[in-house]
Amino acid sequence: TGTAADAGNSEDTSTPPEDGGTEPEPGCTPKNATFAVSYQQVYDIFKEACAACHAGPYSGGLQMFKDELDQVVETTVGVTSTMEPDKIRIIAGDSEGSYLVEKLLGTQVKGSQMPQAEPLPAADVDIIKSWIDDCAQKTAVTGEATTP
């Protein structure tokens, strides 16, 4: 979540911040010893496919890019869905149990498949799933160790 200091931040947000990364969620064991994908890849997919609807005041209950600041991890990992309160948007280490993956695949019970304009290519969904399975960390860099 942002702080009061973030409100006046005018830095370029075309790439995710280098700092402020996350350690693996407590109890999360990455599926791989090294990251298969980077957070930058995941961020780029979300920015391209999701920001148009999930950055502004109407965001369907999920504001991933508040004021253009990257809040993907803070608003999804371990966060309860507003549409399906018994589901977690992203369960670090469990892509198959993550509601966001259901929405991307169109297997959710309520609401529409995301993105609404056109489903993501399977390769993009696989990138997101791999990142989730390796504990959905902002510090993910392809080829680096998944645990510090």
Side-chain angles (χ1 to χ4, degrees), residues 11 55-56 70 73 79 84-85 101 116 125:
E11 71 180 272
D70 170 24
V73 171
V79 177
E84 291 276 345
V101 173
Q116 289 182 338
V125 174

Side-chain angles (χ1 to χ4, degrees), residues 21 30 32 34 43 47 53-54 72 96 108 116 122 126 137 139 144:
N32 300 297
T34 59
Y43 173 87
K47 186 75 172 175
C53 296
H54 292 285
V72 172
E96 297 304 317
Q108 79 288 344
Q116 289 182 338
D126 288 344
Q137 301 175 59
T139 54
E144 289 191 4

Side-chain angles (χ1 to χ4, degrees), residues 128-147:
I128 293 167
K129 288 172 65 175
S130 178
W131 174 72
I132 292 170
D133 287 338
D134 283 335
C135 298
Q137 301 175 59
K138 270 191 176 179
T139 54
V141 176
T142 305
E144 289 191 4
T146 53
T147 54

Side-chain angles (χ1 to χ4, degrees), residues 60-134:
L62 174 56
Q63 197 169 30
M64 299 169 92
F65 300 94
K66 184 176 183 183
D67 301 324
E68 293 301 310
L69 295 174
D70 170 24
Q71 294 187 316
V72 172
V73 171
E74 294 81 359
T75 60
T76 60
V77 179
V79 177
T80 302
S81 166
T82 54
M83 183 169 283
E84 291 276 345
D86 61 330
K87 296 191 179 257
I88 303 297
R89 289 176 174 156
I90 290 179
I91 301 169
D94 183 9
S95 64
E96 297 304 317
S98 297
Y99 184 60
L100 182 124
V101 173
E102 290 180 20
K103 295 287 280 184
L104 294 176
L105 295 174
T107 59
Q108 79 288 344
V109 175
K110 290 185 179 178
S112 304
Q113 181 174 6
M114 294 291 145
Q116 289 182 338
E118 182 177 329
L120 284 179
D124 287 354
V125 174
D126 288 344
I127 288 169
I128 293 167
K129 288 172 65 175
S130 178
W131 174 72
I132 292 170
D133 287 338
D134 283 335

